[in-house]
Each structure stands twice: as structure tokens, then as C-alpha cells.
Amino acid sequence: MGPVGTAAVRDGGAALPGGFWAAVRVWLEKPQVANRRLCGAAIEAEGTVLLGESEEGSPRLTAVPGGGTDEGPEGAAELSRLWREVSGHLSPSLMARGRPGSELRAVLRTLLPRARPAGPPAPPTKELVVHDVYNGTVTFLPLEENKEGKYQIKKCNTYEIQLTHIKDEEWSVSIVALSSEDWFSDGITYPKLAWLGNELLPKLAKWSVEQKHSEFRSTLSLISVAKYCKVYQDLKEKYKEMVKVWPEVTDPEKFVYEDVAIATYLLILWEEERKEKGLAKKQSFVDLGCGNGLLVHILSSEGHSGRGIDVRRRKIWDMYGPETHLEELSIMPGDSHLFPDTDWLIGNHSDELTPWIPVIAARSSYSCSYFVLPCCFFDFHGKYSRKQSKKTQYREYLDFVAEVGSVCGFHVEEDCLRIPSTKRVCLIGKNRTYPPTECALIDNQITRYIHNRQTCPVVACDRGVGFNHKDCSDVCKEAGSGLPENEMETSGRIWMPGFQPREKVEQIRNCAALPRDFVDDVVLNVANLLLNTVPQKSCSNTHGGNMNTWNKGESLSLREVAEHLNKETLKRLKSEYGGLQTLLKNNHQVFEVLNGRVHIRDWRKEKPSRKTKPEVKRCLSAEAYKTRLCWFFIHHPNGCALPSESCPYAHGTEELRQSKTIKKKKHTQC
């Protein structure tokens, strides 16, 4: 084997060798985090073999649930067959290096390429991966299919990742290739050797010593990644035209492809459910808080009967056609909004309805399931209040929504979606934890729990990744007491009279509607605070040939800035989403907010626009050039740091250009 590269690793936190195997696992299961041309990988089968067994001895194999094949035993049988053919292609003296009784672990995986901009996606490829834990090596054996339909080792592309202990805290991670001269690369499933050494190796070295414990499950842990990649690529191609005709003011690419991804996940989840339960008919659904309705449109177009309900009609609804059923209606949790004939309830960023969806599903029918993708933090009766400082607010809120599902008698599962959002954890209530004969008991338990949340909020269970129903036994017991007899009945009632549904007319509360004078005063006060805070940071500026010092000011945390503003100003800002931070970010000409700290923006450090900037954005930038006065030219004690010809803002009224009204949806060409 020939060396591709070696990276020195210093372990100061006792992460190795365990961290190395964790890093290898990332590359094995989620290769897309390093190679963006891959959609992912499907683990089809895993097995072990004790060293010292005869050549005919088969490894003890276990098919992995949710892998890339529908039949686990076939994947295991294929792995067993392949193992008998590869002993001559492993690293030199692999069998001899192991100590008696040690074992190798073999993994059969399928690499799944992403769709290409033009033409069909590259075909999936299989790899046999052999772990030798005792010697710290992982061997990757690409497989290719011959004319007889059998897989053989692609010898020229075999490579190995090695961990070596140098001394004390010094280690090294290396990648070596069996035959670097004959190496074949397609840039996708067969990367270049230079990429292995320059891209993958540094990532493996970094991951090996990172002691990060994710508080969320792995992405797409409950469904087949192979199926997901195929269905997603098909749906993305099918619905890509929606991006071009999107009539809303929201970003079309984000919303279209996010809903395509969510639809893909649900379609595969429901397909697996039909197989498990022997169902022939596709599941029905209701999307509560459906927003733009695209998810409803996709699911309906793919053969699932359903409808979407939202408090506010969207312009795009008229584009879907009569087959997509969307209703403008305010949902008030109560007996008048139950769905006894519906298989699944969906809550995709459903805001104030999110904690109610498990309740509505539980009371609709024993067979009703739910899927929620929590975003904004709402309790049953208003905004959710944090109870624990040891968790992130997002993790704590997910635990609360999962706890609601458990109290409602669901076995709650958690998964991470592959969507362009920071809030991508979904919670699924598919199966019940109680027999149908106990429906009345569970209903009473739900009523008491909601009552207790309103009067004396219950602290969400402290747990790790995944929801354990046993952890919430005390919560269920507490939910079973403390409610007066006359409040036990729910028939014909609104379950919480104080519930406030979303307003039909959406209020603009992102600081954009604040009076201009008020905003200008806040901007000037904050800027002066930063400029006058000592010690001052200054930089030399030589524009026009004159040497002078331009005051960059000091950076302060958002809290420190807020402490210098009067109570009336803070009260007014508090009523806006994002408050002070949003106002400062809106005024990006003056400020830069990074990691919770506020800085005066130095336009000399701004990166020039990329040549690959989308045509529409280049047009918008040209339209906006010199249409606003330069704040620094007017207010900064040293003036603007840029000369007039370099500044995108006007240095005086004589430079002002007339502003043109820009409507994003009409900018299809320059």
C-alpha cells in the first residue's frame, strides 16, 4: 500500500482511540458530511468473525434495521458470501496481526450519489468495510458487479484508514491506498486520492478528538436512507417548477425543497407502516396549520387523501387545483375539532397547535397517529416557559412535546430530518402504549395533565436522546390527580377556554414597522455607545493620500447594550420579534452582530460580491446602489472609512439616486 497522507493528532482529553472509531462511524454512515456529492449511505448488513476460524467459517452476521435493503437476511447472506472472497485483498498479514480470540467487524454499505444538475444521478455503489479494532485499521473495499451479476472487489480503489499511537498523547491518523498508480476516480463515489488526503483526512483527525455528544438522534434514523435519496430526487425533479412560479414573499427554494423533503420522509414512513400492518389503502391525513399548503399538495398528488387547515389563506392556494383540499379555518382545541376518520395528523411548524396535536390525535380515534415538527415554543395556553437551564431551550421544548405524547398514550419516536433548517427534529406518535379498553382512563389522564400545566406547570422529564416512557411515569401519576370532578367531562367543550389561536391578519413585528425616528435614535445611541467605550479600537486609513485614524469603536454584548437603553425603549423593542437584536441586524449598514456581540461595521473588510452571485441578486444590488445616505458620512466622527467611489451609499444628497420599487417575484431577468 502507498501512503496518501498522515495527520498528527494530540489527545489531551482521553478521546482516543474511542474518538477515532466514532469518526470512522461518521464517515461510514454519513459520508455526505465530508463528500457533498453523496446523498448518504445505507448500511445493509453487519457481522463479526473471530480470528482463528477456518476459511469456511462464516462470520456471525446481523442485518441492520432500516438499512438499504428490504430483506435483512439477504443482505446478511450477501455479506457472508463476500467475506469468503476477500481475505486475499485485506491489508497485509491482517489475520496474522490479530491476537487469538480477537475479531473483525465487516459492514456492507451502499453509497448513494446526489442528483446531478444535468443528466441522471450516478448509480449507487457498494462497499465492504472491514474494521480491525485490535490493530486500529479500517479497510474500504469497493465492489463492482460482473457480467454474472455477482460483486467482486475493485482492487485498484481499495484504501485503509489507520490509527497509530506515537507516544504519550501523540497519535497519527493515516490513509493509505493499495494501488495509487491504478486509482480510478469519478469524483463522486470514487473520490480522487488528493481529496482523501486533503479533505477527508483532516476531517477524520478533527472528529477523532472532538468530544461532542449530540443531544439529537442521527439524521433519518427511522427510515431507509437509500429509499429516501431515491424518492427525494424523484420528487425534487417532479415539483421543481414550483420554485419558478412561487407567488409568496418567502424564499421559494427553501420552502419548496424543505416541503419536498418532509413529504419524502412521510411517504417512506407511511409505506413502511403499510407493510408492518398489512394495509393496502394509503393513509389519510390532515395538516393542521398547513401554511402555504405545498406539503398537502405533494402528499395528495402522491395518492394520499387529505386536507390542510390554516387560519389564513395564502395566495399560492389558488395554484394547486381542486385536487388539493385547503381550508381557511381557526382551530380551537375541543370536541368540535376532532378527526375520527383520519389516519395521521401533521403539525409542520404548527406554532400554538404543536402541543395540542398529540391530544387531538389521541381523542380523535385509537388508530389516529401524528407527526409534529416543532419550531416556535408554545405551551397549551401561550408561550412556553423554560424550566431547566441545563438544556438548550430547543431540547427542553422537544422533551415537553414528547412528554405530552407519552401522557396521551403514544410510544413517541424522535428523528432528525434532512431539511435546510435549524429546527429539524420531528416527533412521531405511531403506536399506543395502552389497549383500546383504557381509552377513557387515558382521556382523563390527558385532562388532568393539561389542567396541571395551566395551574402548576409540570417540569419536563430530564432525559437523553430518545423518549423513554418509563421516565415519565411520575408525570402521568401527577396528571391523574388534582382535577375537580366537575371539570373531568370534556364532551362538547373547548378543552382550554383561554387558548388563543393565531390571528388571521399577520402582524408585522420584525421592527420594520417601528417609526423611523425611533429607529434612528436607537441606532445613534448604540453607535455612540460603541464609539465612546474605552479602550477605543482604531485603524489607520490612507484614503486620498491623507493618513488619519478611523475609530472602529468597541464591541459589546447585547446585554451590555440593553443595559444602556432606557426602559421605555426596551419595552417597545420587547413587543417586536427578536427585539434589540433584530433592530440592529436590520440596520446592517451600521452594525454587525456576531455571536451575541455588537460591532460597528467596517466596510473596508466587506468581501466583494462573488462572480457567481445569482443574476437576480446582482440586479437588485445595482438597483439599490447610492439610493440611501451613508450613515458614517453623516454621523461618524471620522466620516466614512471608504472613499465616495467605493461606498455603496451616497456621500451627501448630491450623490443620491432615485430609488426604484423592487418586487422580487417579478425579477426574472435584468
Side-chain angles (χ1 to χ4, degrees):
M1 286 192 172
V4 174
T6 300
V9 179
R10 187 171 182 83
D11 178 25
L16 297 171
F20 169 76
W21 295 108
V24 168
R25 195 72 191 180
V26 171
W27 173 236
L28 187 70
E29 297 179 348
K30 297 187 285 187
Q32 70 275 8
V33 300
N35 185 353
R36 294 300 181 182
R37 295 185 178 182
L38 292 175
C39 178
I43 305 300
E44 299 194 18
E46 297 186 49
T48 58
V49 59
L50 285 172
L51 295 180
E53 288 186 350
S54 64
E55 291 186 3
E56 290 73 26
S58 298
R60 297 188 296 274
L61 298 170
T62 303
V64 176
T69 56
D70 293 330
E71 302 294 336
E74 272 120 7
E78 180 73 359
L79 177 57
S80 181
R81 183 189 69 79
L82 287 168
W83 175 257
R84 292 193 291 269
E85 301 175 5
V86 302
S87 59
H89 305 297
L90 300 176
S91 55
S93 307
L94 177 62
M95 298 297 186
R97 287 188 303 183
R99 58 183 178 183
S102 63
E103 63 182 27
L104 303 177
R105 189 165 66 87
V107 179
L108 181 63
R109 75 167 177 172
T110 299
L111 293 172
L112 308 164
R114 286 189 186 275
R116 291 181 285 198
T125 60
K126 291 184 181 290
E127 270 188 339
L128 181 63
V129 185
V130 181
H131 296 65
D132 179 3
V133 177
Y134 180 71
N135 291 292
T137 64
V138 190
T139 307
F140 292 78
L141 303 162
L143 305 173
E144 55 185 353
E145 196 172 7
N146 60 22
K147 295 180 180 179
E148 289 76 32
K150 295 183 178 181
Y151 287 100
Q152 296 178 335
I153 302 298
K154 190 177 180 67
K155 299 179 183 179
C156 63
N157 279 73
T158 297
Y159 68 96
E160 188 173 276
I161 302 173
Q162 302 173 346
L163 176 68
T164 305
H165 187 205
I166 309 301
K167 64 176 181 178
D168 300 329
E169 297 178 351
E170 296 179 16
W171 299 70
S172 69
V173 178
S174 307
I175 296 180
V176 296
L178 178 65
S179 176
S180 56
E181 294 81 9
D182 301 326
W183 187 270
F184 166 77
S185 172
D186 63 1
I188 305 175
T189 53
Y190 300 114
K192 295 180 180 179
L193 281 174
W195 183 89
L196 290 176
N198 299 332
E199 298 291 335
L200 178 59
L201 180 59
K203 285 183 171 65
L204 290 170
K206 178 184 176 184
W207 297 339
S208 294
V209 293
E210 280 183 342
Q211 296 185 336
K212 291 184 177 180
H213 175 69
S214 175
E215 55 183 356
F216 307 112
R217 288 194 180 278
S218 299
T219 303
L220 306 180
S221 63
L222 299 180
I223 64 171
S224 164
V225 177
K227 285 182 181 177
Y228 177 88
C229 290
K230 183 181 185 307
V231 175
Y232 177 76
Q233 289 171 1
D234 292 344
L235 293 182
K236 186 177 180 181
E237 179 68 22
K238 186 175 180 179
Y239 296 101
K240 66 180 181 181
E241 295 301 316
M242 294 298 302
V243 174
K244 300 178 182 178
V245 297
W246 192 257
E248 305 291 336
V249 296
T250 50
D251 181 5
E253 288 198 4
K254 178 188 185 302
F255 281 87
V256 171
Y257 296 136
E258 181 171 319
D259 282 356
V260 166
I262 296 170
T264 301
Y265 188 92
L266 287 170
L267 291 172
I268 296 172
L269 185 73
W270 291 347
E271 180 185 355
E272 293 300 320
E273 183 188 42
R274 292 197 299 275
K275 288 181 180 179
E276 291 172 8
K277 298 181 178 180
L279 304 174
K281 185 180 179 181
K282 290 188 175 182
Q283 295 89 332
S284 60
F285 70 93
V286 174
D287 186 352
L288 300 176
C290 64
N292 58 54
L294 181 57
L295 179 60
V296 177
H297 176 66
I298 296 173
L299 295 176
S300 300
S301 300
E302 298 305 313
H304 290 268
S305 62
R307 57 189 170 124
I309 301 174
D310 199 279
V311 70
R312 183 167 55 87
R313 185 180 183 83
R314 307 300 201 275
K315 289 180 285 187
I316 196 172
W317 286 14
D318 296 326
M319 298 177 58
Y320 295 134
E323 295 80 13
T324 301
H325 302 286
L326 300 168
E327 301 175 27
E328 185 178 18
L329 180 68
S330 179
I331 296 291
M332 185 70 71
D335 289 349
S336 60
H337 288 114
L338 295 177
F339 307 93
D341 299 323
T342 300
D343 297 317
W344 280 78
L345 298 184
I346 298 172
N348 173 21
H349 299 300
S350 46
D351 294 345
E352 74 279 1
L353 289 176
T354 298
W356 285 105
I357 288 176
V359 178
I360 297 172
R363 287 177 168 171
S364 289
S365 72
Y366 185 76
S367 60
C368 186
S369 305
Y370 72 87
F371 167 96
V372 292
L373 183 61
C375 179
C376 299
F377 307 142
F378 283 89
D379 208 320
F380 292 112
H381 51 82
K383 286 287 188 178
Y384 178 81
S385 298
R386 294 195 66 178
K387 313 292 188 304
Q388 298 184 17
S389 59
K390 295 180 180 179
K391 301 179 183 179
T392 63
Q393 186 177 17
Y394 184 41
R395 177 70 265 171
E396 184 182 328
Y397 185 68
L398 289 171
D399 290 350
F400 160 63
V401 178
E403 179 183 283
V404 174
S406 181
V407 171
C408 292
F410 287 97
H411 174 70
V412 183
E413 296 179 280
E414 179 179 307
D415 205 354
C416 275
L417 304 186
R418 190 177 288 176
I419 57 176
S421 173
T422 56
K423 307 286 175 56
R424 58 192 189 96
V425 177
C426 68
L427 298 168
I428 299 167
K430 187 169 59 172
N431 301 310
R432 304 294 176 102
T433 59
Y434 62 95
T437 55
E438 295 182 4
C439 284
L441 180 65
I442 295 298
D443 188 71
N444 288 340
Q445 177 173 284
I446 295 170
T447 301
R448 294 185 180 105
Y449 178 79
I450 295 172
H451 175 81
N452 289 342
R453 290 289 308 184
Q454 188 176 20
T455 57
C456 183
V458 179
V459 176
C461 297
D462 193 3
R463 63 184 180 89
V465 176
F467 192 72
N468 187 341
H469 301 279
K470 293 180 180 179
D471 291 343
C472 284
S473 59
D474 292 338
V475 172
C476 294
K477 288 177 182 177
E478 186 171 347
S481 62
L483 188 68
E485 290 296 327
N486 61 353
E487 293 188 31
M488 289 292 297
E489 296 296 329
T490 60
S491 178
R493 290 188 178 186
I494 294 174
W495 301 333
M496 181 169 285
F499 175 79
Q500 290 292 328
R502 207 181 323 169
E503 296 176 357
K504 185 173 181 178
V505 179
E506 190 174 25
Q507 294 184 359
I508 299 174
R509 295 174 60 191
N510 60 355
C511 296
L514 288 172
R516 189 69 247 176
D517 290 346
F518 173 80
V519 174
D520 289 343
D521 285 342
V522 174
V523 169
L524 189 59
N525 287 337
V526 174
N528 286 333
L529 176 65
L530 298 176
L531 292 171
N532 295 325
T533 299
V534 290
Q536 293 183 355
K537 294 181 179 179
S538 58
C539 289
S540 295
N541 187 13
T542 59
H543 293 310
N546 296 320
M547 176 67 72
N548 59 71
T549 301
W550 193 80
N551 181 10
K552 290 174 58 180
E554 183 65 42
S555 74
L556 294 175
S557 68
L558 285 164
R559 173 179 285 185
E560 290 171 325
V561 172
E563 288 174 350
H564 286 80
L565 299 178
N566 62 56
K567 292 182 179 180
E568 288 301 317
T569 298
L570 291 175
K571 184 178 180 180
R572 198 166 188 179
L573 288 172
K574 195 173 182 180
S575 65
E576 301 289 317
Y577 294 131
L580 175 63
Q581 181 172 230
T582 298
L583 185 146
L584 297 178
K585 285 186 174 182
N586 287 351
N587 288 271
H588 61 275
Q589 182 195 163
V590 184
F591 302 111
E592 189 174 25
V593 183
L594 296 172
N595 300 319
R597 297 191 69 83
V598 186
H599 309 254
I600 292 289
R601 185 176 294 276
D602 188 347
W603 281 88
R604 294 168 299 177
K605 295 181 179 180
E606 293 298 307
K607 295 180 180 179
S609 300
R610 296 181 179 179
K611 293 182 180 180
T612 56
K613 197 173 185 180
E615 194 69 20
V616 170
K617 290 187 177 180
R618 287 205 301 272
C619 293
L620 296 177
S621 298
E623 293 280 4
Y625 185 74
K626 298 287 187 183
T627 58
R628 294 176 60 191
L629 289 170
C630 175
W631 184 93
F632 294 100
F633 180 80
I634 299 171
H635 297 288
H636 194 282
N638 303 130
C640 182
L642 295 176
S644 175
E645 60 270 17
S646 301
C647 182
Y649 299 94
H651 285 199
T653 55
E654 64 276 5
E655 289 188 6
L656 273 176
R657 296 173 63 246
Q658 186 175 0
S659 177
K660 296 181 180 180
T661 303
I662 300 170
K663 294 183 179 179
K664 293 182 180 180
K665 64 180 182 180
K666 292 186 178 180
H667 275 267
T668 55
Q669 60 182 10
C670 271

